[in-house]
Amino acid sequence: MPPGILTLAADKVTLSPANTGFMLISSALVMVMTPALAFFYGGMVRVKSVLNMLMMSFISLGIVTILWVLYGFGLAFGTDKGSLIGWDGHFAGLSGIGLTQLWGTTNIPIYVFAVFQLMFAVITPALISGALADRVKFTAWALFIALWVTVVYFPVAHWVWGDGGWLFKLGVIDFAGGTAVHINAGAAALGAILVVGKRIGFKKDPMRPHSLPLVMLGAGLLWFGWFGFNAGSWLNNDDGVAAVAFVNTQVATAAAMLGWLAYEKLRHGSFTTLGAASGAVAGLVAITPACGCVSPLGAIAVGVIAGVLCAMAVGLKYKFGYDDSLDVIGVHLVGGVTGSLLIGLFATGGVQSTAKGVFYGGGWDQMGKQAVGVVSVLLYSLVVSFILAKAIDLVMGFRIGADEEIAGIDQAAHAETAYDFTGAGGGAMARKGPALGETLTKKVDA
Amino acid sequence: MKLITAVIKPHRLDEVKDALQSFGVHGLTVTEASGYGRQRGHTEVYRGAEYTVDLVPKIRIEVLVEDADAHELLDVIVKAARTGKIGDGKVWSVPVDDAVRVRTGERGPDAL
């Protein structure tokens, strides 16, 4: 992403209506990904906890939006402080930004860039929630989101994309968030579940998805929104790079879905819908860092490799005994690492960046840089997320009670249930005073 | 009188119903049921995790008939319900002391 601020008057550049429109649409597309993720995850949990799963993603839209406006944008994209964090007073509250101030060389208003990046900040903590399904206090989760974006996401976004961020300066390629979003969220998921622990009945009770149609709907909407995520990350459509990113997003996702399905047909005998949806998401994750620097054929390779690797990786939790409920580690961490490292092999040097991968005569230099990006973000997020989760657990307890977990977190946390299976409609209303009908009658009489 | 109970595969319900009508049975009760016999259930796979589903969906049909018809009717149901594959179900009959038609109060074979 081209960083830096330009001003209309000072630099005689003009606001581009085309780029601005493109980025507003891209921002809206990325926004859709968070509720899409909610349904992708929501379908995979049991009936008794689907609402909580939806809410864990949805609440991120509330919390992170406000924090982003107050200080998040400033920390991530303000003037660099020591390559580790940014800050700009006039970004606080987004109050010191003029309508005519433009971001970078792309001729889009700073407001547009800020809102586009906001959508990334919203979905990243929501991704973590899949690992904690069914068992965490909603208040503890909300606090975790607020703290996590503040001390993990905002700084890491600065490292990777901020002007002066140390990974940006090093030349690590992360087009749309392979490290900042997916590896970051996947590592955080691992850190958090090491504190929170397994669901009651893990590996003993059946925990089948309650609605695969919801999973497919969520995955489909994620795929749709991801075009804004990836193509929009070039911040303009002047030079064709966004178009390449768009094409590669489609191609890699298709390839990954086929790769995952082929693996599970060979391994387990069936082409499952959950496999198709998961494979597609794995491909989207893997192509995210690479979509601006590989060719469509390279994108096919990235997709197939990620699809198969992630399909293999989701079984690791049973082997190692950690309960990553909905495979955030298996899909987002493994997919993100795969895509980021494959840049070192498949970067063509002719699109977003001149850096070339091993297969295009570039040697191992870019692979080394990608590895630094992967390892540093992974370790930072893992350690800090573990500490945050531990602190929350000590102060207020991260988990709900065992009886509440067994009965279903929806009832305990939200006083709601997702579906009414009682033909007769349930019991009487628990309210004091006259029944609804009586009140209405009195009003009519008066 | 006899009560004949048949537990069959759901997709054979129409054939069994038609066969019962052809035989001259006037009424029957159908219930959704679940269970397993020798074949046990089936296996489902979600991201490589295998779940054994023991109880598979079945249809239970209950018919009240006169003693003289019971033996033949078992054969009629079996013929209509059979697919030859595992899990086709079971049919059995048990003696019934009495029956009453609620609307008229008729008793015994007249109530059928």
Side-chain angles (χ1 to χ4, degrees):
Chain A
M1 283 187 199
I5 302 168
L6 294 173
T7 315
L8 274 181
D11 301 277
K12 308 269 189 218
V13 287
T14 48
L15 183 150
S16 162
N19 290 347
T20 302
F22 167 67
M23 288 310 296
L24 286 171
I25 291 169
S26 292
S27 305
L29 282 169
V30 183
M31 182 273 162
V32 164
M33 291 170 70
T34 297
L37 179 81
F39 285 112
F40 178 66
Y41 281 167
M44 274 190 274
V45 297
R46 289 165 288 175
V47 166
K48 62 184 181 178
S49 49
V50 52
L51 292 179
N52 178 251
M53 198 68 255
L54 297 176
M55 278 292 279
M56 284 172 87
S57 291
F58 223 71
I59 196 65
S60 184
L61 279 160
I63 295 171
V64 179
T65 297
I66 301 303
L67 297 185
W68 184 256
V69 168
L70 294 180
Y71 59 80
F73 182 54
L75 289 178
F77 292 100
T79 307
D80 180 65
K81 315 281 180 202
S83 301
L84 293 175
I85 195 76
W87 186 247
D88 252 314
H90 64 280
F91 283 175
L94 297 185
S95 52
I97 301 168
L99 288 177
T100 55
Q101 276 191 296
L102 304 182
W103 183 263
T105 55
T106 57
N107 305 353
I108 59 170
I110 293 176
Y111 273 122
V112 175
F113 178 70
V115 85
F116 179 69
Q117 282 298 330
L118 159 65
M119 302 312 177
F120 282 64
V122 164
I123 194 172
T124 308
L127 291 170
I128 304 168
S129 66
L132 300 169
D134 302 352
R135 61 193 186 284
V136 297
K137 278 183 193 166
F138 190 65
T139 44
W141 169 248
L143 181 60
F144 181 79
I145 288 183
L147 296 174
W148 189 83
V149 290
T150 304
V151 299
V152 180
Y153 183 79
F154 299 156
V156 169
H158 183 77
W159 299 357
V160 176
W161 295 319
D163 188 11
W166 73 278
L167 291 175
F168 186 84
K169 281 198 295 191
L170 184 67
V172 175
I173 294 177
D174 184 2
F175 193 82
T179 46
V181 174
H182 297 287
I183 294 174
N184 201 357
L190 182 56
I193 55 177
L194 289 176
V195 174
V196 170
K198 303 167 196 174
R199 286 169 292 178
I200 294 170
F202 176 63
K203 289 216 282 192
K204 291 199 293 274
D205 298 341
M207 296 180 181
R208 288 184 286 162
H210 91 282
S211 172
L212 287 170
L214 275 192
V215 175
M216 291 295 261
L217 178 68
L221 282 174
L222 275 171
W223 192 335
F224 175 70
W226 224 291
F227 291 120
F229 198 80
N230 284 359
S233 284
W234 194 237
L235 305 183
N236 72 81
N237 54 4
D238 288 340
D239 52 11
V241 176
V244 170
F246 193 112
V247 170
N248 285 340
T249 302
Q250 176 69 9
V251 169
T253 307
M257 176 170 72
L258 299 180
W260 186 303
L261 287 173
Y263 172 81
E264 68 175 4
K265 176 65 179 172
L266 290 172
R267 180 74 182 74
H268 304 290
S270 303
F271 302 110
T272 68
T273 44
L274 184 58
S278 310
V281 173
L284 289 163
V285 169
I287 200 61
T288 291
C291 62
C293 63
V294 299
S295 69
L297 282 178
I300 291 179
V302 170
V304 169
I305 293 168
V308 173
L309 278 182
C310 292
M312 294 167 81
V314 294
L316 292 178
K317 62 180 179 184
Y318 300 109
K319 206 169 177 181
F320 294 116
Y322 61 86
D323 186 11
D324 172 15
S325 315
L326 310 181
D327 299 310
V328 181
I329 296 160
V331 174
H332 293 277
L333 181 56
V334 173
V337 169
T338 304
S340 292
L341 293 181
L342 287 180
I343 288 172
L345 298 181
F346 293 106
T348 62
V351 200
Q352 162 207 0
S353 153
T354 54
K356 290 182 177 179
V358 174
F359 295 159
Y360 291 83
W364 292 94
D365 180 52
Q366 189 61 35
M367 177 70 94
K369 291 176 182 173
Q370 295 304 118
V372 171
V374 165
V375 173
S376 57
V377 172
L378 199 163
L379 285 180
Y380 179 74
S381 180
L382 175 64
V383 172
V384 178
S385 305
F386 178 86
I387 293 169
L388 285 178
K390 194 77 190 169
I392 290 172
D393 196 38
L394 289 173
V395 172
M396 62 187 293
F398 214 133
R399 277 188 84 128
I400 57 170
D403 50 344
E404 291 173 322
E405 187 179 333
I406 290 166
I409 192 171
D410 284 359
Q411 187 65 49
H414 308 292
E416 292 172 306
T417 45
Y419 308 101
D420 183 0
F421 292 124
T422 59
M429 289 186 76
R431 60 192 287 275
K432 288 182 179 166
L436 285 179
E438 288 174 47
T439 315
L440 190 66
T441 311
K442 276 177 191 165
K443 274 185 184 165
V444 172
D445 288 346
Chain B
M1 287 176 298
K2 291 274 199 301
L3 169 67
I4 293 181
T5 306
V7 175
I8 62 165
K9 284 187 170 168
H11 75 275
R12 302 304 291 178
L13 175 60
D14 279 347
E15 281 80 357
V16 172
K17 232 167 55 183
D18 291 347
L20 288 172
Q21 266 165 12
S22 305
F23 188 81
V25 171
H26 301 301
L28 78 170
T29 307
V30 175
T31 325
E32 287 182 15
S34 59
Y36 61 83
R38 287 189 196 174
Q39 93 280 11
R40 306 290 290 189
H42 59 264
T43 305
E44 295 178 11
V45 185
Y46 299 95
R47 280 185 179 161
E50 294 193 358
Y51 297 89
T52 305
V53 180
D54 267 346
L55 301 174
V56 292
K58 297 284 174 189
I59 290 288
R60 182 169 61 209
I61 302 172
E62 287 163 311
V63 191
L64 275 173
V65 295
E66 294 196 47
D67 287 337
D69 296 333
H71 194 72
E72 196 182 345
L73 199 56
L74 285 181
D75 291 339
V76 168
I77 294 174
V78 166
K79 201 173 157 200
R82 179 178 288 158
T83 67
K85 291 182 187 152
I86 206 156
D88 270 353
K90 277 204 181 28
V91 191
W92 62 89
S93 73
V94 289
V96 174
D97 286 342
D98 204 355
V100 188
R101 173 170 286 126
V102 174
R103 176 171 57 85
T104 60
E106 292 164 288
R107 301 189 79 107
D110 291 338
L112 298 182

